[in-house]
Amino acid sequence: SRMGNTQGALDDFRRVVALQPGSAEAHNNLGVALDQAGDLAGAIEEFQKAVARNPKFVAGILNLAQAMRDKGVLPAAIENYRKAIALEPDSADAHADLAFTLKRVDRLPEAVKEISKAEQLSPNVARTQFYYGEILTQTGDQAAALPHYERAVRLSPNDVEFRLKYGSLLAQTDPSAGARELQEAARLAPGRVDVLNALGAALRRAGDEEGAKEVFRQSREASATFAQRSEATLDTNKAI
């Protein structure tokens, strides 16, 4: 079983830490394993130990920043991203992750500066382009956000989230083009209610009332199916 494998891997990493308690890498590896096993608090503790043993260990600092972000301790995440960037100024990923964390605490001018740096260092990363779009949308500049969402989609054509965001925003100014993007999102993720609702709205905006009605019907059907499945799961769990 996967749980057994995870437990076995954790035991292995713990043994390595016991043999090499001064090794930053050993603590970092155990932290990654704990994170994957869903033990965020344990992971943070190991990443902190890794960084304490080697304060210039960028991978450990970034893992600590990410774990702090996942836990919602955003000031500590920001501080650690900045530490990593001070040691490795050309890490596009670190600039992008810092930017997205700054966005979450509404420090938008700093977020724009960091995401711009990430793009400059590595322009062909879909996630960076998507973050850029999200940050600019939050500043209220949707026109500037649109080409970044488009780039994210072109760089990662099968990502439903990227296409949903791009299609929805595009539909506000060009409903037919937005609907085409959302049709592709619906093909990639059949039965996803949020995608179908966005597509229905775009078709309605484009003047295709029949098409919109059909898509909203599919959306209602998908919602009902999801509700039935959830109820069945609940009944099964009660029976267990």
Side-chain angles (χ1 to χ4, degrees), residues 64-188:
L64 178 57
Q66 183 69 51
M68 287 295 191
R69 188 169 93 179
D70 292 344
K71 196 182 173 190
V73 188
L74 302 183
I78 289 166
E79 185 190 333
N80 280 291
Y81 283 127
R82 289 211 187 279
K83 276 183 193 168
I85 287 166
L87 291 164
E88 235 174 66
D90 288 347
S91 168
D93 283 351
H95 285 285
D97 285 331
L98 171 58
F100 204 64
T101 312
L102 288 163
K103 170 194 174 291
R104 283 179 56 182
V105 292
D106 260 338
R107 286 161 61 177
L108 296 176
E110 288 171 83
V112 169
K113 187 177 157 208
E114 291 298 332
I115 201 67
S116 165
K117 183 71 179 164
E119 185 192 40
Q120 196 185 321
L121 288 164
S122 205
N124 296 322
V125 177
R127 188 178 60 116
T128 298
Q129 294 296 341
F130 182 72
Y131 283 178
Y132 214 147
E134 293 283 271
I135 290 163
L136 289 172
T137 297
Q138 196 164 318
T139 69
D141 194 348
Q142 294 184 318
L146 197 60
H148 291 288
Y149 285 130
E150 182 181 8
R151 267 175 237 145
V153 167
R154 301 301 167 243
L155 288 163
S156 188
N158 295 327
D159 191 297
V160 178
E161 302 306 326
F162 294 176
R163 207 174 278 271
L164 171 58
K165 191 57 74 102
Y166 174 50
S168 301
L169 189 55
L170 183 59
Q172 293 178 19
T173 50
D174 187 342
S176 301
R180 282 195 297 276
E181 294 296 336
L182 292 163
Q183 269 157 347
E184 180 58 17
R187 189 189 67 76
L188 289 165

Side-chain angles (χ1 to χ4, degrees), residues 17 41 48 73 111 117 144 202 204 235:
V17 165
Q48 284 170 331
V73 188
K117 183 71 179 164
R204 182 164 282 166
D235 291 343

